[in-house]
Amino acid sequence: MLQHLYVPIEDVKKLERYRVGGYHPVAIGDRFHDRYRVVQKLGYGSYPTIWLARDESFNEFVAIKICTADSNPHEFDVLSNLSSPQLSGNRPGRSMVPLILDSFQIQGPNGTHTCYVTSPARMSLSDAKDGSYIRLFKLEAARVIAARLAIAVEYIHTQGLAHGDLHSGNVLIQLSSGFNEMSDEELYKIYGEPESEAVTRFDGEELSPCIPSRAIIPVWLGEASEELRPSDAKIILSDFGEAFSPAKQDKFESCTPLVNRAPEIRFESTKPLSFPSEIWSLACLIWDIIAQSPLFEGFLAKEDDMTCEHVDALGILPPEWWNKWDARHKRFSEDGKPINRESYRSLEDRFEDSVQQPRRAEKMPPFEPAERDALLSMLRSMLSFRPESRPSVKDVLASEWMVKWALPEYEKAQKS
């Protein structure tokens, strides 16, 4: 764990990562690779910081991901392959993964940093919900996003890869085509001038060259989830740092957030992960898109809490898992009935509580019975406890809900 050396700044985290081997200090106006001029900060991850820059060669905005000096080139290699037209042809999912436009390296006080250039995005799905008090997408937009997400996952699976970290923070909404028509001055007028705060040490000592003197606050380019139109619901599936090829490597640990993590990762920990674990995460993510709150409540949850949520929603675990779960005695009878708790909330109960009722309360159309039943049928199959019982993502795209509701809405949005 990193020692806290710097006074925390709201909306700016991980200041301690500005060290040898870590983040590269960047300031607004910095120019990279003789063509990219930084105009705003978009965000950060565990290994990169992401900046909005003006590509002065083509007079357009780009996103530059500047990796930590100690980062593994794995994500860059994965995206380079997924971006290759020779590899992917004209499959629709190719446009839904980050296309690497350029790459270069920079030398700084913290080491040598790999940088790559992609198209910028407006916001993540989680950002859109955080920007809304009702935390809901319109029904038409939700269908489009879910269809596009499944198409994106199907594309990477056909390339032999699993994403490895599916959650709403890694699904980005693309910027509108008119964004590039803005000048820097118009950008600042609409979204605000770059904001920054002075970086200070707890001990009052001077800052080293490893860290910038001022921390840039990320800009908000997004909008509330309920304002997103279906025609603008174009996604990019981002952050491939955990991507892996099940056929080429054995991976046993998952970085997927616990609320989206498949149960076999806990109960079959000696078996390598593969595509079925991603189908479970995809189901949880589709739920996030259609619902107000997550399918499985996970605030400060531990593994036993999450397994309890799984059993409440989906029924008793497979016998070998059930017998392995020692904590079951405190929460359930042997036949799966809750002990000393209120009645469990089934998948159907959660759909009513988190999807239908909030939509009615906000005077948004709920799912009609036929669509609700088709959607729940698809999700329940994806949430089968046994990995081998789950459909492939190709099967998901062929499900009744996708074919009758989600994909037609996607085609309509494509035309508009």
Side-chain angles (χ1 to χ4, degrees):
M1 179 176 286
L2 293 174
Q3 180 184 0
H4 292 291
L5 300 175
Y6 305 100
V7 177
I9 297 174
E10 188 174 359
D11 296 324
V12 177
K13 297 181 181 178
K14 304 177 184 286
L15 287 172
E16 280 71 23
R17 294 301 303 274
Y18 286 98
R19 54 173 173 76
V20 174
Y23 292 149
H24 177 70
V26 176
I28 301 298
D30 284 355
R31 199 162 180 267
F32 298 117
H33 206 43
D34 295 326
R35 61 187 283 189
Y36 304 113
R37 178 171 44 81
V38 174
V39 296
Q40 272 286 13
K41 183 177 184 178
L42 293 175
Y44 61 89
S46 298
Y47 297 102
T49 54
I50 304 99
W51 301 85
L52 183 67
R54 172 76 68 181
D55 180 355
E56 295 178 333
S57 295
F58 294 99
N59 193 31
E60 62 184 19
F61 289 113
V62 295
I64 301 180
K65 184 176 279 193
I66 303 177
C67 300
T68 56
D70 60 5
S71 65
N72 187 308
H74 173 68
E75 182 182 28
F76 176 79
D77 295 340
V78 169
L79 291 180
S80 296
N81 286 330
L82 290 175
S83 300
S84 168
Q86 293 81 13
L87 178 70
S88 56
N90 294 318
R91 300 183 69 93
R94 181 174 176 267
S95 66
M96 300 173 198
V97 299
L99 177 65
I100 294 181
L101 306 174
D102 193 9
S103 63
F104 54 92
Q105 289 188 327
I106 56 175
Q107 185 69 36
N110 296 329
T112 302
H113 305 261
T114 296
C115 308
Y116 47 101
V117 180
T118 65
S119 297
R122 292 181 75 190
M123 58 186 173
S124 68
L125 297 186
S126 60
D127 288 338
K129 283 195 163 189
D130 289 345
S132 165
Y133 79 95
I134 65 173
R135 301 182 65 82
L136 287 168
F137 292 100
K138 291 176 182 174
L139 201 54
E140 296 82 2
R143 293 185 189 121
V144 173
I145 296 169
R148 284 191 164 123
L149 176 63
I151 290 169
V153 173
E154 194 263 347
Y155 167 64
I156 65 170
H157 282 196
T158 59
Q159 307 307 313
L161 291 170
H163 181 273
D165 194 16
L166 284 183
H167 61 81
S168 59
N170 282 341
V171 182
L172 309 180
I173 300 295
Q174 297 182 32
L175 285 161
S176 65
S177 57
F179 188 81
N180 267 327
E181 298 173 7
M182 287 191 292
S183 65
D184 295 357
E185 292 73 21
E186 289 170 325
L187 173 76
Y188 293 149
K189 183 177 180 180
I190 295 171
Y191 296 105
E193 297 274 346
E195 296 182 41
S196 66
E197 289 193 28
V199 176
T200 55
R201 291 175 57 110
F202 278 116
D203 58 13
E205 295 290 326
E206 289 188 9
L207 300 177
S208 76
C210 293
I211 190 165
S213 60
R214 299 192 68 84
I216 311 298
I217 312 298
V219 66
W220 168 250
L221 299 177
E223 63 183 344
S225 54
E226 68 272 15
E227 300 297 327
L228 187 68
R229 298 178 300 177
S231 58
D232 292 331
K234 298 175 182 177
I235 69 159
I236 290 288
L237 182 56
S238 70
D239 199 343
F240 282 75
E242 295 297 328
F244 66 102
S245 170
K248 297 178 181 178
Q249 64 188 109
D250 289 343
K251 185 172 182 176
F252 299 94
E253 295 183 359
S254 173
C255 290
T256 304
L258 197 56
V259 291
N260 286 14
R261 193 180 302 170
E264 66 270 17
I265 296 171
R266 178 185 191 186
F267 290 105
E268 296 183 351
S269 58
T270 60
K271 293 184 179 179
L273 303 181
S274 192
F275 300 113
S277 299
E278 193 132 287
I279 296 299
W280 178 286
S281 299
L282 177 60
C284 295
L285 187 43
I286 290 174
W287 181 281
D288 281 347
I289 292 164
I290 63 168
Q292 187 177 66
S293 55
L295 173 55
F296 304 118
E297 298 294 340
F299 183 67
L300 299 178
K302 298 180 180 179
E303 281 191 325
D304 284 335
D305 302 315
M306 197 52 55
T307 301
C308 183
E309 282 280 290
H310 293 168
V311 175
D312 277 350
L314 303 169
I316 198 166
L317 298 172
E320 63 273 25
W321 295 5
W322 185 249
N323 294 330
K324 189 186 295 185
W325 185 32
D326 294 334
R328 73 185 188 278
H329 300 297
K330 299 177 182 178
R331 301 168 186 252
F332 296 95
S333 62
E334 281 305 305
D335 60 356
K337 297 293 187 293
I339 296 175
N340 299 324
R341 292 188 295 119
E342 293 183 7
S343 177
Y344 63 88
R345 294 169 60 234
S346 68
L347 186 66
E348 291 72 16
D349 294 334
R350 291 165 193 247
F351 192 87
E352 181 64 26
D353 294 345
S354 186
V355 180
Q356 302 288 64
Q357 287 185 7
R359 291 184 179 276
R360 294 189 193 103
E362 296 300 328
K363 296 183 170 50
M364 299 172 75
F367 286 84
E368 294 295 331
E371 182 177 5
R372 175 201 63 202
D373 293 347
L375 176 53
L376 283 172
S377 176
M378 181 191 78
L379 291 173
R380 189 172 282 281
S381 70
M382 297 170 73
L383 295 166
S384 297
F385 280 129
R386 296 192 184 276
E388 62 272 17
S389 298
R390 293 175 204 148
S392 68
V393 68
K394 185 177 181 180
D395 295 330
V396 170
L397 283 166
S399 69
E400 183 184 11
W401 183 69
M402 283 286 177
V403 170
K404 289 186 177 180
W405 285 278
L407 290 172
E409 201 77 63
Y410 159 72
E411 296 290 348
K412 181 180 175 183
Q414 289 284 90
K415 292 176 182 177
S416 64

Short mmCIF file of all heavy atoms in Angstrom, two decimals, residues 50-84:
data_model
loop_
_atom_site.label_atom_id
_atom_site.label_comp_id
_atom_site.label_asym_id
_atom_site.label_seq_id
_atom_site.Cartn_x
_atom_site.Cartn_y
_atom_site.Cartn_z
N ILE A 50 -5.34 9.88 -18.60
CA ILE A 50 -5.92 10.08 -19.92
C ILE A 50 -6.20 11.55 -20.13
O ILE A 50 -6.81 12.21 -19.27
CB ILE A 50 -7.22 9.25 -20.10
CG1 ILE A 50 -6.94 7.76 -19.82
CG2 ILE A 50 -7.76 9.41 -21.51
CD1 ILE A 50 -7.32 7.29 -18.47
N TRP A 51 -5.74 12.07 -21.28
CA TRP A 51 -5.78 13.50 -21.54
C TRP A 51 -6.46 13.79 -22.87
O TRP A 51 -6.29 13.05 -23.85
CB TRP A 51 -4.35 14.06 -21.56
CG TRP A 51 -3.65 13.82 -20.26
CD1 TRP A 51 -2.97 12.69 -19.90
CD2 TRP A 51 -3.62 14.68 -19.13
NE1 TRP A 51 -2.49 12.80 -18.62
CE2 TRP A 51 -2.88 14.02 -18.11
CE3 TRP A 51 -4.12 15.96 -18.87
CZ2 TRP A 51 -2.65 14.58 -16.87
CZ3 TRP A 51 -3.89 16.53 -17.63
CH2 TRP A 51 -3.16 15.85 -16.65
N LEU A 52 -7.24 14.86 -22.90
CA LEU A 52 -7.80 15.36 -24.15
C LEU A 52 -6.78 16.29 -24.78
O LEU A 52 -6.27 17.21 -24.13
CB LEU A 52 -9.10 16.12 -23.88
CG LEU A 52 -9.85 16.63 -25.10
CD1 LEU A 52 -10.40 15.47 -25.93
CD2 LEU A 52 -10.98 17.58 -24.69
N ALA A 53 -6.46 16.03 -26.03
CA ALA A 53 -5.43 16.82 -26.71
C ALA A 53 -5.91 17.21 -28.10
O ALA A 53 -6.79 16.56 -28.69
CB ALA A 53 -4.13 16.03 -26.81
N ARG A 54 -5.35 18.27 -28.62
CA ARG A 54 -5.59 18.70 -29.99
C ARG A 54 -4.50 18.12 -30.87
O ARG A 54 -3.30 18.37 -30.64
CB ARG A 54 -5.57 20.23 -30.07
CG ARG A 54 -5.62 20.80 -31.45
CD ARG A 54 -6.98 20.76 -32.08
NE ARG A 54 -7.92 21.65 -31.41
CZ ARG A 54 -9.19 21.77 -31.77
NH1 ARG A 54 -9.66 21.05 -32.79
NH2 ARG A 54 -10.00 22.60 -31.12
N ASP A 55 -4.90 17.30 -31.85
CA ASP A 55 -3.95 16.81 -32.84
C ASP A 55 -3.76 17.92 -33.87
O ASP A 55 -4.63 18.16 -34.71
CB ASP A 55 -4.49 15.54 -33.50
CG ASP A 55 -3.55 14.97 -34.54
OD1 ASP A 55 -2.52 15.60 -34.83
OD2 ASP A 55 -3.85 13.88 -35.07
N GLU A 56 -2.64 18.61 -33.79
CA GLU A 56 -2.43 19.78 -34.63
C GLU A 56 -2.15 19.41 -36.08
O GLU A 56 -2.21 20.27 -36.96
CB GLU A 56 -1.30 20.63 -34.05
CG GLU A 56 -1.68 21.21 -32.68
CD GLU A 56 -0.57 22.03 -32.05
OE1 GLU A 56 0.61 21.75 -32.36
OE2 GLU A 56 -0.88 22.93 -31.24
N SER A 57 -1.89 18.13 -36.34
CA SER A 57 -1.69 17.70 -37.73
C SER A 57 -3.01 17.64 -38.48
O SER A 57 -3.06 17.88 -39.70
CB SER A 57 -1.00 16.34 -37.78
OG SER A 57 0.30 16.41 -37.24
N PHE A 58 -4.08 17.27 -37.77
CA PHE A 58 -5.39 17.13 -38.42
C PHE A 58 -6.44 18.06 -37.81
O PHE A 58 -7.61 18.00 -38.19
CB PHE A 58 -5.87 15.68 -38.33
CG PHE A 58 -5.03 14.72 -39.11
CD1 PHE A 58 -4.05 13.95 -38.50
CD2 PHE A 58 -5.21 14.58 -40.48
CE1 PHE A 58 -3.27 13.06 -39.22
CE2 PHE A 58 -4.44 13.70 -41.22
CZ PHE A 58 -3.47 12.94 -40.59
N ASN A 59 -6.04 18.87 -36.84
CA ASN A 59 -6.95 19.81 -36.17
C ASN A 59 -8.19 19.10 -35.63
O ASN A 59 -9.33 19.50 -35.90
CB ASN A 59 -7.36 20.96 -37.10
CG ASN A 59 -8.03 22.09 -36.34
OD1 ASN A 59 -7.71 22.34 -35.17
ND2 ASN A 59 -8.97 22.77 -36.97
N GLU A 60 -7.95 18.05 -34.87
CA GLU A 60 -9.05 17.33 -34.24
C GLU A 60 -8.64 16.90 -32.84
O GLU A 60 -7.46 16.85 -32.50
CB GLU A 60 -9.46 16.11 -35.08
CG GLU A 60 -8.37 15.07 -35.24
CD GLU A 60 -8.79 13.93 -36.15
OE1 GLU A 60 -9.76 14.13 -36.92
OE2 GLU A 60 -8.17 12.87 -36.10
N PHE A 61 -9.67 16.59 -32.03
CA PHE A 61 -9.41 16.16 -30.66
C PHE A 61 -9.11 14.67 -30.62
O PHE A 61 -9.71 13.88 -31.35
CB PHE A 61 -10.62 16.45 -29.76
CG PHE A 61 -10.82 17.92 -29.47
CD1 PHE A 61 -11.93 18.58 -29.97
CD2 PHE A 61 -9.91 18.62 -28.71
CE1 PHE A 61 -12.14 19.92 -29.70
CE2 PHE A 61 -10.09 19.96 -28.44
CZ PHE A 61 -11.21 20.62 -28.94
N VAL A 62 -8.19 14.31 -29.75
CA VAL A 62 -7.85 12.90 -29.50
C VAL A 62 -7.70 12.70 -28.00
O VAL A 62 -7.59 13.66 -27.23
CB VAL A 62 -6.54 12.49 -30.21
CG1 VAL A 62 -6.69 12.56 -31.72
CG2 VAL A 62 -5.37 13.34 -29.73
N ALA A 63 -7.72 11.44 -27.61
CA ALA A 63 -7.41 11.08 -26.22
C ALA A 63 -6.02 10.45 -26.21
O ALA A 63 -5.72 9.59 -27.05
CB ALA A 63 -8.44 10.11 -25.67
N ILE A 64 -5.17 10.89 -25.28
CA ILE A 64 -3.84 10.30 -25.12
C ILE A 64 -3.80 9.58 -23.78
O ILE A 64 -4.05 10.18 -22.73
CB ILE A 64 -2.73 11.36 -25.17
CG1 ILE A 64 -2.76 12.12 -26.50
CG2 ILE A 64 -1.36 10.71 -24.97
CD1 ILE A 64 -1.69 13.19 -26.61
N LYS A 65 -3.52 8.30 -23.84
CA LYS A 65 -3.35 7.51 -22.62
C LYS A 65 -1.86 7.41 -22.36
O LYS A 65 -1.11 6.81 -23.15
CB LYS A 65 -3.99 6.13 -22.79
CG LYS A 65 -3.95 5.28 -21.54
CD LYS A 65 -4.69 3.96 -21.73
CE LYS A 65 -6.18 4.11 -21.58
NZ LYS A 65 -6.88 2.80 -21.45
N ILE A 66 -1.40 8.02 -21.25
CA ILE A 66 0.01 8.01 -20.87
C ILE A 66 0.19 6.99 -19.75
O ILE A 66 -0.28 7.20 -18.62
CB ILE A 66 0.48 9.41 -20.43
CG1 ILE A 66 0.22 10.44 -21.54
CG2 ILE A 66 1.96 9.38 -20.06
CD1 ILE A 66 0.59 11.86 -21.17
N CYS A 67 0.84 5.90 -20.05
CA CYS A 67 0.96 4.80 -19.10
C CYS A 67 2.04 5.09 -18.06
O CYS A 67 2.97 5.87 -18.30
CB CYS A 67 1.28 3.50 -19.83
SG CYS A 67 0.04 3.02 -21.05
N THR A 68 1.91 4.44 -16.91
CA THR A 68 2.98 4.54 -15.92
C THR A 68 4.25 3.92 -16.50
O THR A 68 4.19 3.04 -17.37
CB THR A 68 2.59 3.81 -14.62
OG1 THR A 68 2.26 2.45 -14.93
CG2 THR A 68 1.41 4.48 -13.93
N ALA A 69 5.38 4.37 -15.99
CA ALA A 69 6.66 3.89 -16.52
C ALA A 69 6.86 2.40 -16.24
O ALA A 69 7.59 1.73 -16.98
CB ALA A 69 7.81 4.70 -15.93
N ASP A 70 6.21 1.89 -15.19
CA ASP A 70 6.38 0.47 -14.86
C ASP A 70 5.25 -0.40 -15.40
O ASP A 70 5.11 -1.56 -15.03
CB ASP A 70 6.51 0.27 -13.34
CG ASP A 70 5.28 0.76 -12.58
OD1 ASP A 70 4.27 1.16 -13.21
OD2 ASP A 70 5.31 0.73 -11.32
N SER A 71 4.40 0.15 -16.28
CA SER A 71 3.24 -0.60 -16.76
C SER A 71 3.66 -1.68 -17.75
O SER A 71 4.68 -1.56 -18.44
CB SER A 71 2.22 0.33 -17.41
OG SER A 71 2.76 0.93 -18.57
N ASN A 72 2.84 -2.69 -17.82
CA ASN A 72 3.05 -3.79 -18.75
C ASN A 72 2.45 -3.40 -20.10
O ASN A 72 1.36 -2.83 -20.15
CB ASN A 72 2.34 -5.04 -18.18
CG ASN A 72 2.63 -6.28 -18.97
OD1 ASN A 72 2.47 -6.31 -20.18
ND2 ASN A 72 3.04 -7.34 -18.28
N PRO A 73 3.13 -3.68 -21.21
CA PRO A 73 2.59 -3.30 -22.53
C PRO A 73 1.43 -4.18 -22.99
O PRO A 73 0.97 -4.07 -24.13
CB PRO A 73 3.80 -3.48 -23.45
CG PRO A 73 4.62 -4.54 -22.80
CD PRO A 73 4.46 -4.32 -21.32
N HIS A 74 0.91 -5.01 -22.10
CA HIS A 74 -0.10 -5.99 -22.47
C HIS A 74 -1.32 -5.35 -23.14
O HIS A 74 -1.76 -5.79 -24.20
CB HIS A 74 -0.53 -6.76 -21.21
CG HIS A 74 -1.69 -7.68 -21.44
ND1 HIS A 74 -1.61 -8.80 -22.22
CD2 HIS A 74 -2.99 -7.63 -20.99
CE1 HIS A 74 -2.78 -9.42 -22.24
NE2 HIS A 74 -3.63 -8.72 -21.51
N GLU A 75 -1.88 -4.29 -22.54
CA GLU A 75 -3.09 -3.69 -23.11
C GLU A 75 -2.82 -3.14 -24.50
O GLU A 75 -3.65 -3.30 -25.41
CB GLU A 75 -3.64 -2.59 -22.20
CG GLU A 75 -4.93 -1.99 -22.76
CD GLU A 75 -5.49 -0.86 -21.93
OE1 GLU A 75 -4.72 -0.16 -21.24
OE2 GLU A 75 -6.71 -0.66 -21.98
N PHE A 76 -1.69 -2.49 -24.66
CA PHE A 76 -1.35 -1.94 -25.98
C PHE A 76 -1.28 -3.05 -27.02
O PHE A 76 -1.79 -2.91 -28.14
CB PHE A 76 -0.02 -1.19 -25.91
CG PHE A 76 0.44 -0.67 -27.24
CD1 PHE A 76 -0.10 0.49 -27.77
CD2 PHE A 76 1.43 -1.34 -27.96
CE1 PHE A 76 0.32 0.96 -29.01
CE2 PHE A 76 1.85 -0.87 -29.19
CZ PHE A 76 1.29 0.28 -29.71
N ASP A 77 -0.68 -4.18 -26.66
CA ASP A 77 -0.57 -5.30 -27.59
C ASP A 77 -1.95 -5.85 -27.95
O ASP A 77 -2.22 -6.17 -29.11
CB ASP A 77 0.30 -6.41 -26.98
CG ASP A 77 1.75 -5.98 -26.79
OD1 ASP A 77 2.17 -5.01 -27.45
OD2 ASP A 77 2.44 -6.60 -25.96
N VAL A 78 -2.82 -5.97 -26.93
CA VAL A 78 -4.17 -6.48 -27.17
C VAL A 78 -4.94 -5.56 -28.11
O VAL A 78 -5.54 -6.00 -29.10
CB VAL A 78 -4.94 -6.62 -25.83
CG1 VAL A 78 -6.43 -6.88 -26.08
CG2 VAL A 78 -4.36 -7.77 -25.00
N LEU A 79 -4.90 -4.26 -27.82
CA LEU A 79 -5.65 -3.31 -28.65
C LEU A 79 -5.07 -3.21 -30.06
O LEU A 79 -5.80 -3.02 -31.03
CB LEU A 79 -5.67 -1.93 -27.99
CG LEU A 79 -6.51 -1.83 -26.71
CD1 LEU A 79 -6.43 -0.41 -26.14
CD2 LEU A 79 -7.96 -2.21 -26.98
N SER A 80 -3.77 -3.35 -30.18
CA SER A 80 -3.16 -3.33 -31.51
C SER A 80 -3.69 -4.47 -32.36
O SER A 80 -4.00 -4.30 -33.55
CB SER A 80 -1.63 -3.43 -31.40
OG SER A 80 -1.10 -2.30 -30.74
N ASN A 81 -3.84 -5.65 -31.75
CA ASN A 81 -4.39 -6.80 -32.47
C ASN A 81 -5.87 -6.60 -32.80
O ASN A 81 -6.32 -6.88 -33.91
CB ASN A 81 -4.19 -8.08 -31.67
CG ASN A 81 -2.76 -8.55 -31.67
OD1 ASN A 81 -2.02 -8.32 -32.62
ND2 ASN A 81 -2.34 -9.21 -30.60
N LEU A 82 -6.64 -6.13 -31.82
CA LEU A 82 -8.07 -5.94 -32.04
C LEU A 82 -8.35 -4.84 -33.05
O LEU A 82 -9.39 -4.84 -33.70
CB LEU A 82 -8.77 -5.62 -30.72
CG LEU A 82 -8.88 -6.76 -29.70
CD1 LEU A 82 -9.50 -6.25 -28.40
CD2 LEU A 82 -9.70 -7.92 -30.26
N SER A 83 -7.43 -3.89 -33.17
CA SER A 83 -7.60 -2.79 -34.11
C SER A 83 -7.19 -3.17 -35.54
O SER A 83 -7.45 -2.42 -36.47
CB SER A 83 -6.76 -1.58 -33.66
OG SER A 83 -7.16 -1.13 -32.39
N SER A 84 -6.53 -4.30 -35.70
CA SER A 84 -5.98 -4.67 -37.00
C SER A 84 -7.10 -5.06 -37.97
O SER A 84 -7.85 -5.99 -37.72
CB SER A 84 -5.02 -5.86 -36.85
OG SER A 84 -4.70 -6.41 -38.10
#
